[in-house]
């Protein structure tokens, strides 16, 4: 199937309207992995004309989810985080994302960040998509240019998110 941003957004809307929970999101992951095989779709959504950073390509007026171009031009890493009260799906179009998963040890409180410990790591390669449901702590790292198509259940720039730090281990 050939994809356009409009057809992909419509399919995501259909899937999430039918099931907004984790099972519906898993179906969106599968749809995104199919779309990541379509070179014309990749060029349209996150091709070489897109600059570094994060750009909202589509925001669903009814359900609130967003589809974004997410371009990292050079080495970059994010600290451990979740997506607050929403979810995100990272779809790798080019390059590689080294992802670390974290286990929460301590909740954030009194203005102090929460604490996490290492739970695992893996590479996300072109054609792969990964769902992070509410509360799933992770941190991406890019060692070279990478292009992703990302979905967010809600625009994360408009919501409060807690901060986390890696817990110090006793020597």
């Amino acid at each position: 199937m050939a994809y356009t941003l409009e057809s992909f957004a419509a399919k995501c809307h259909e899937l999430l309207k039918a099931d907004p929970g984790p099972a519906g999101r898993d179906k969106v992951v599968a749809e995104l992995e199919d779309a990541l095989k379509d070179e014309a779709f990749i060029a349209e959504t996150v091709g070489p004309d897109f600059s570094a950073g994060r750009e909202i390509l589509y925001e669903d007026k009814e359900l609130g989810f967003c589809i974004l171009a997410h371009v990292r031009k050079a080495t970059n890493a994010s600290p451990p985080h979740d997506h607050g009260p929403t979810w995100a799906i990272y779809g790798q179009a080019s390059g590689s994302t080294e992802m670390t998963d974290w286990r929460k040890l301590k909740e954030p409180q009194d203005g102090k960040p929460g604490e996490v410990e290492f739970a695992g790591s893996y590479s996300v390669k072109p054609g792969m998509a990964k769902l992070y449901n509410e509360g799933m702590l992770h941190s991406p790292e890019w060692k070279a240019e990478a292009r992703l198509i990302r979905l967010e259940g809600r625009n994360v720039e408009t919501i409060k998110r807690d901060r986390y730090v890696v817990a110090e281990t006793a020597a």
Side-chain angles (χ1 to χ4, degrees), residues 102 105 115-118 165-171:
W102 301 95
L105 297 175
E115 293 184 4
V116 297
E117 70 179 358
F118 178 83
V165 296
V166 178
E168 293 184 28
T169 55

Side-chain angles (χ1 to χ4, degrees), residues 80-85 102-117 135-137 160-167:
H81 65 277
D82 62 15
H83 294 105
W102 301 95
R103 185 172 14 279
K104 188 185 308 183
L105 297 175
K106 191 175 181 183
E107 291 285 342
Q109 77 179 71
D110 301 326
K112 294 181 184 170
E115 293 184 4
V116 297
E117 70 179 358
M136 292 180 72
L137 293 158
K160 180 188 178 305
R161 295 166 54 191
D162 292 323
R163 291 186 19 221
Y164 293 90
V165 296
V166 178

Side-chain angles (χ1 to χ4, degrees), residues 11 44 91 125:
K11 185 63 176 182
E44 175 191 9
K125 303 287 187 189

Side-chain angles (χ1 to χ4, degrees), residues 118-163:
F118 178 83
S121 62
Y122 46 92
S123 295
V124 183
K125 303 287 187 189
M128 297 171 67
K130 176 77 172 131
L131 168 63
Y132 298 92
N133 284 308
E134 298 87 343
M136 292 180 72
L137 293 158
H138 58 283
S139 59
E141 180 178 3
W142 300 277
K143 298 188 182 199
E145 181 176 304
R147 294 174 179 270
L148 297 93
I149 297 169
R150 204 168 114 168
L151 284 85
E152 297 171 350
R154 289 179 27 213
N155 180 352
V156 298
E157 291 188 340
T158 66
I159 57 179
K160 180 188 178 305
R161 295 166 54 191
D162 292 323
R163 291 186 19 221

Side-chain angles (χ1 to χ4, degrees), residues 46-109:
V46 72
D49 294 337
F50 284 83
S51 61
R54 167 187 195 283
E55 181 180 339
I56 295 178
L57 304 173
Y58 171 85
E59 189 164 0
D60 192 274
K61 302 251 185 280
E62 180 184 355
L63 302 179
F65 73 89
C66 302
I67 300 171
L68 304 98
H70 197 219
V71 179
R72 296 297 182 181
K73 288 283 192 182
T75 301
N76 195 311
S78 293
H81 65 277
D82 62 15
H83 294 105
T86 194
W87 51 268
I89 298 170
Y90 292 65
Q92 198 75 36
S94 69
S96 178
T97 299
E98 301 306 312
M99 193 66 78
T100 300
D101 289 339
W102 301 95
R103 185 172 14 279
K104 188 185 308 183
L105 297 175
K106 191 175 181 183
E107 291 285 342
Q109 77 179 71

